[in-house]
Amino acid sequence: MNQLLVRSVMRRLVSGGTCNRCISSLSAAVVFREVHKLSSESVVMMSNQRLRLSGQWWRMMCSTSEPTSKNSMTSSAMRKEDEKLSGDSVEKMEGEDDVALSSYWGVSRPKITKEDGSVWPWNCFMPWETYQADLSIDLSKHHVPKTFLDKVAYWTVKLLRIPTDLFFKKKYGCRAMMLETVAGVPGMVGGMLLHLRSLRKFEQSGGWIKALLEEAENERMHLMTMVELVQPKWYERLLVIAVQGVFFNFYFVLYLLSPKLAHRVVGYLEEEAIHSYTLYLNDIDRGEIENVPAPAIAIDYWRLPKDATLKDVITVIRADEAHHRDVNHFASDIHYQGKKLQEAAAPIGYH
């Protein structure tokens, strides 16, 4: 095309055409070429834009039918937006199989480790709630019933022991499991009623609310440990539901009517628990019950050595029961002296 343009200009020069006409013709040709070039480039640009838009539309359509890719910027942005809008989102922790709940409210557990640097595995209790049981406590202490209410409490517990012995006989693991489902009730009921009394009368509790709730929590940890050792059968679970329903209401009414009698009953129940765990240990020593390794929850809760066994677990549980015996007999004595519990310092942390 350029060659044709040059030839035409030369012809006009040879034929004697004016320079102005030649220049105008040349200018027109150059303008035509530039316009044609621009129009061609614009067409190419428009076609490229259409291709890009069609490509984006195709990727969007594919993303709706195919699983999202980790390398996709669009999918990651959508996930981030969803996490901001949702109240609770679930995130997979890197390098772990645990699923951590990320709360919209900013409530999250900080990373907690053991003394050896490993991750703390329990949510039901924290490292600062663990302790080493006091095994030096006197297990032979006994409150001799003297008053009428003491005798009522003592013989009530003795009568309750009869059906327990008939049902469980020498199945001390199942007996201990049933015993702990009952032993965890009094502390919760007493702590709850003292809490309501404190709110109702605008008075301090002397720390007894916390002390009784600590007792209930400690008994519950006994149960969680025994469940690891003894898997309850379906009829034993039904029995637990029935006994808990009856005993909770019985103890609730009893504590409203006579707190000193209620605490005395628990004191005698703990004495029976010490006796039952002693028989349990005797069978372990004689080899009638296998001395299996201690469950992990017991090792962490009581700070037992890693090679602890069933005997070690039963020993620390029995020591806990002895402490609960002392606390409840002490609380009953305070009431017998005509005083309120808040007038005496509560044995907080006395396990």
Side-chain angles (χ1 to χ4, degrees), residues 14-291:
V14 171
S15 62
T18 62
C19 182
N20 292 334
R21 294 176 66 181
C22 291
I23 294 173
S24 62
S25 300
L26 181 60
S27 300
V30 172
V31 169
F32 175 79
R33 186 182 65 181
E34 293 297 328
V35 169
H36 180 73
K37 181 179 179 181
L38 290 173
S39 62
S40 301
E41 290 178 356
S42 62
V43 170
V44 173
M45 290 176 63
M46 291 177 64
S47 61
N48 289 336
Q49 289 180 355
R50 289 179 180 177
L51 288 174
R52 283 197 297 268
L53 289 174
S54 62
Q56 291 179 359
W57 176 82
W58 177 255
R59 285 195 296 270
M60 290 174 63
M61 293 297 292
C62 292
S63 64
T64 58
S65 60
E66 296 180 357
T68 57
S69 174
K70 292 184 180 180
N71 297 326
S72 175
M73 297 297 294
T74 304
S75 61
S76 63
M78 292 174 63
R79 283 200 301 270
K80 291 180 180 178
E81 193 67 25
D82 291 338
E83 290 176 358
K84 291 180 180 179
L85 294 175
S86 61
D88 293 321
S89 61
V90 179
E91 299 176 350
K92 192 71 176 177
M93 297 176 64
E94 296 182 359
E96 296 182 6
D97 294 332
D98 298 329
V99 176
L101 294 179
S102 177
S103 174
Y104 169 78
W105 306 107
V107 179
S108 60
R109 195 189 82 171
K111 185 177 181 180
I112 302 174
T113 58
K114 296 182 180 180
E115 294 179 356
D116 58 1
S118 59
V119 178
W120 182 255
W122 312 105
N123 288 328
C124 53
F125 65 98
M126 295 293 108
W128 51 86
E129 297 174 332
T130 64
Y131 63 97
Q132 289 181 334
D134 179 16
L135 303 180
S136 64
I137 190 170
D138 187 0
L139 301 174
S140 61
K141 279 185 179 180
H142 169 64
H143 182 274
V144 179
K146 297 179 181 178
T147 65
F148 173 75
L149 289 181
D150 283 354
K151 293 178 181 179
V152 170
Y154 178 78
W155 288 110
T156 298
V157 174
K158 287 296 184 181
L159 289 174
L160 291 175
R161 184 182 178 90
I162 295 175
T164 305
D165 290 340
L166 293 175
F167 186 82
F168 292 107
K169 297 180 180 178
K170 297 193 70 175
K171 296 168 60 178
Y172 293 113
C174 297
R175 178 198 291 263
M177 180 197 64
M178 176 61 67
L179 179 66
E180 298 301 343
T181 62
V182 173
V185 172
M188 180 59 66
V189 172
M192 177 187 66
L193 292 177
L194 289 179
H195 175 74
L196 296 176
R197 179 187 178 90
S198 177
L199 298 177
R200 191 170 61 249
K201 295 195 173 184
F202 310 100
E203 62 184 16
Q204 298 290 340
S205 68
W208 279 94
I209 296 174
K210 186 174 183 179
L212 293 179
L213 292 180
E214 279 184 352
E215 176 186 317
E217 174 64 13
N218 185 247
E219 297 286 7
R220 191 185 66 84
M221 290 304 300
H222 293 177
L223 176 62
M224 296 298 101
T225 302
M226 295 310 302
V227 169
E228 293 290 329
L229 296 169
V230 180
Q231 297 299 326
K233 298 179 175 59
W234 65 269
Y235 58 86
E236 292 173 338
R237 292 178 179 271
L238 290 179
L239 183 61
V240 167
I241 295 174
V243 171
Q244 186 183 83
V246 173
F247 186 75
F248 176 87
N249 291 282
F250 163 76
Y251 193 80
F252 180 83
V253 175
L254 181 63
Y255 204 96
L256 288 175
L257 297 176
S258 178
K260 59 183 176 184
L261 176 59
H263 282 292
R264 191 67 80 196
V265 167
V266 178
Y268 286 128
L269 280 174
E270 300 294 355
E271 290 185 13
E272 293 297 328
I274 295 171
H275 177 67
S276 296
Y277 282 119
T278 300
L279 296 178
Y280 199 168
L281 288 172
N282 291 339
D283 279 5
I284 294 176
D285 291 336
R286 287 194 295 266
E288 297 180 9
I289 298 177
E290 184 181 359
N291 192 19

